[in-house]
């Protein structure tokens, strides 16, 4: 009687040892941007560290099922912490749009105006096959005058099925926020500083 039991246990152990773990897939918000032609540098910006809601402040994807259930996906991950991914993507998009240089924590000459950009992400929602949403409150401060403008952008992008589509939706959302930030920086030049129209 004991032999069949030992044989079954041994077989179970062998099968368990042979099972391959699910591969992890890593995504970035900064990749896939088209190369931008060099522009004359007109501005310096300081894109400060971004804050995100605690429930999405992790490497794993946090998605919302249509039922409203929150799911943490171990095999689908951001390449770095989500706040860092958003910050890097915003920096790239803003500097490309303006022809600026991000001089955060970097010594720089005083010949150009410096604009400090702060971002607080209020919501970062991922609903598979439906939408990718980023709701951000952000500000642009002109350091020479200390004048500051605070705005809010709600970027809600429809997405197709699959994780790649979800990431592309969030990239589009980041780019919309960055375009609004760049518009405010430019508005300091003509003296009509205001948040972009929704």
């Amino acid at each position: 009687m004991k032999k069949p039991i030992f044989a079954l246990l041994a077989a179970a152990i062998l099968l368990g040892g042979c099972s391959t773990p699910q591969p992890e897939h890593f995504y970035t918000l900064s990749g896939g941007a088209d190369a931008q032609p060099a522009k004359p540098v007109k501005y310096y910006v300081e894109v400060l560290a971004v804050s995100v809601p605690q429930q999405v402040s992790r490497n794993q994807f946090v998605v919302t099922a249509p039922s409203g259930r929150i799911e943490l996906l171990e095999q689908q991950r951001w390449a770095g912490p989500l706040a860092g991914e958003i910050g890097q993507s915003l920096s790239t998009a803003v500097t490309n749009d303006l022809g600026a240089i991000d001089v955060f924590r970097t010594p720089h000459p005083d010949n150009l105006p410096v604009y400090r950009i702060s971002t607080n992400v209020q919501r970062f929602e991922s609903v598979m096959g439906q939408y990718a949403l980023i709701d951000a409150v952000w500000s642009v401060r002109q350091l020479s005058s200390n004048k500051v403008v605070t705005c809010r952008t709600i970027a809600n992008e429809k997405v197709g099925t699959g994780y790649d589509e979800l990431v592309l939706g969030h990239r589009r959302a980041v780019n919309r926020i960055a375009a609004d930030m760049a518009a405010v920086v430019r508005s300091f030049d003509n003296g009509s500083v205001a948040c972009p129209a929704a």
Side-chain angles (χ1 to χ4, degrees):
M1 291 294 293
K2 289 183 178 178
K3 285 186 178 178
I5 293 173
F6 284 128
L8 286 173
L9 284 172
I13 291 169
L14 284 172
L15 286 173
C18 292
S19 64
T20 56
Q22 292 291 321
E24 293 178 348
H25 301 280
F26 293 89
Y27 301 85
T28 180
L29 289 173
S30 300
D34 293 333
Q36 298 289 323
K39 297 179 182 178
V41 178
K42 295 177 61 178
Y43 310 96
Y44 292 136
V45 297
E46 294 181 347
V47 180
L48 304 185
V50 173
S51 64
V52 299
Q54 186 174 355
Q55 62 266 31
V56 295
S57 182
R58 55 187 73 235
N59 288 65
Q60 299 96 326
F61 279 21
V62 179
V63 300
T64 305
S67 65
R69 184 180 70 251
I70 303 296
E71 299 176 351
L72 183 65
L73 306 182
E74 289 293 342
Q75 272 67 49
Q76 316 301 325
R77 295 174 176 256
W78 298 109
L82 180 59
E85 284 287 315
I86 295 171
Q88 180 60 49
S89 187
L90 283 173
S91 174
T92 300
V94 168
T95 54
N96 282 346
D97 191 333
L98 291 172
I101 297 175
D102 189 343
V103 294
F104 180 51
R105 294 181 178 169
T106 305
H108 56 84
D110 298 329
N111 60 325
L112 293 174
V114 182
Y115 296 90
R116 180 170 291 158
I117 300 173
S118 304
T119 310
N120 179 4
V121 173
Q122 309 278 304
R123 290 189 294 156
F124 187 94
E125 296 179 6
S126 306
V127 181
M128 296 296 297
Q130 293 187 24
Y131 67 86
L133 180 144
I134 303 177
D135 177 356
V137 174
W138 49 272
S139 65
V140 176
R141 181 185 299 273
Q142 185 182 52
L143 296 191
S144 60
S145 67
N146 216 29
K147 186 172 184 177
V148 64
V149 178
T150 300
C151 306
R152 181 183 187 187
T153 303
I154 302 174
N156 190 348
E157 297 290 327
K158 291 182 180 179
V159 300
T161 57
Y163 300 113
D164 289 348
E165 282 291 314
L166 190 65
V167 172
L168 288 173
H170 279 302
R171 285 181 185 170
R172 291 194 301 272
V174 168
N175 286 336
R176 280 184 55 192
I177 296 167
D180 285 352
M181 291 171 170
V184 167
V185 170
R186 287 192 184 94
S187 74
F188 278 88
D189 287 346
N190 55 35
S192 59
V193 183
C195 296

